[in-house]
Amino acid sequence: MNGQSMSDEEYSLIRDYIILPFVKNMVKNNMDKIKAEGMTLSELFVKSSKRALELIEDDINLSRRNVGRLKMQITKVKQNDDSEEYEVRLRGYVHNITLQRHVAKREMATMRDAYIARVDFK
């Protein structure tokens, strides 16, 4: 990382910007599997998955708007089996952020659980 450091809020924004699309795909893939299996309670699981996807999509859009508002540029520059490296341009500085796959999976599970907890049927 060069120059000025980032705030915790900016790191959280970058994390959400990068990881939320993966969480969305994970929930969508699980929903598609449930639909295909045709289990007795599949309608309940599909309905709750759709609601979780709406919440995730809202947060993806919010993170994109915030990235744009800050004029932040996030670009994946390298990927291997263990990690992905991103270049973040913010306030004239370049920051290199490496996302370890095992950390990303843990974060995805935490995010997924938080969205499940937010699903309600009103």
Side-chain angles (χ1 to χ4, degrees):
M1 180 165 20
N2 303 327
Q4 189 176 8
S5 64
M6 282 190 269
S7 70
D8 290 343
E9 286 179 18
E10 290 165 340
Y11 274 117
S12 292
L13 175 58
I14 293 164
R15 181 202 63 211
D16 289 352
Y17 183 90
I18 293 170
I19 294 178
L20 280 174
F22 292 113
V23 176
K24 178 183 171 184
N25 288 338
M26 175 178 54
V27 172
K28 173 97 173 69
N29 290 339
N30 285 336
M31 184 180 74
D32 292 344
K33 286 178 188 175
I34 290 167
K35 277 184 189 177
E37 290 174 7
M39 299 173 0
T40 306
L41 294 176
S42 63
E43 186 177 332
L44 170 66
F45 295 129
V46 168
K47 190 174 181 180
S48 60
S49 296
K50 284 182 179 178
R51 180 65 185 127
L53 286 170
E54 290 170 0
L55 295 170
I56 294 166
E57 189 65 39
D58 289 348
D59 286 348
I60 287 172
N61 290 332
L62 179 62
S63 72
R64 287 178 180 160
R65 280 194 306 274
N66 287 331
V67 163
R69 182 179 49 80
L70 293 172
K71 295 179 176 55
M72 184 185 294
Q73 294 176 324
I74 303 172
T75 308
K76 186 190 310 186
V77 293
K78 197 167 24 171
Q79 178 177 344
N80 61 41
D81 290 342
D82 298 325
S83 65
E84 292 182 351
E85 188 175 318
Y86 293 85
E87 180 180 275
V88 179
R89 294 180 179 274
L90 177 63
R91 293 185 298 272
Y93 294 97
V94 176
H95 307 269
N96 294 307
I97 296 177
T98 301
L99 182 63
Q100 299 292 324
R101 196 163 304 275
H102 69 279
V103 173
K105 284 184 178 183
R106 192 169 53 236
E107 190 64 34
M108 286 171 61
T110 300
M111 288 177 160
R112 177 205 59 218
D113 293 348
Y115 285 105
I116 289 170
R118 288 175 54 197
V119 169
D120 58 7
F121 298 101
K122 291 184 180 177

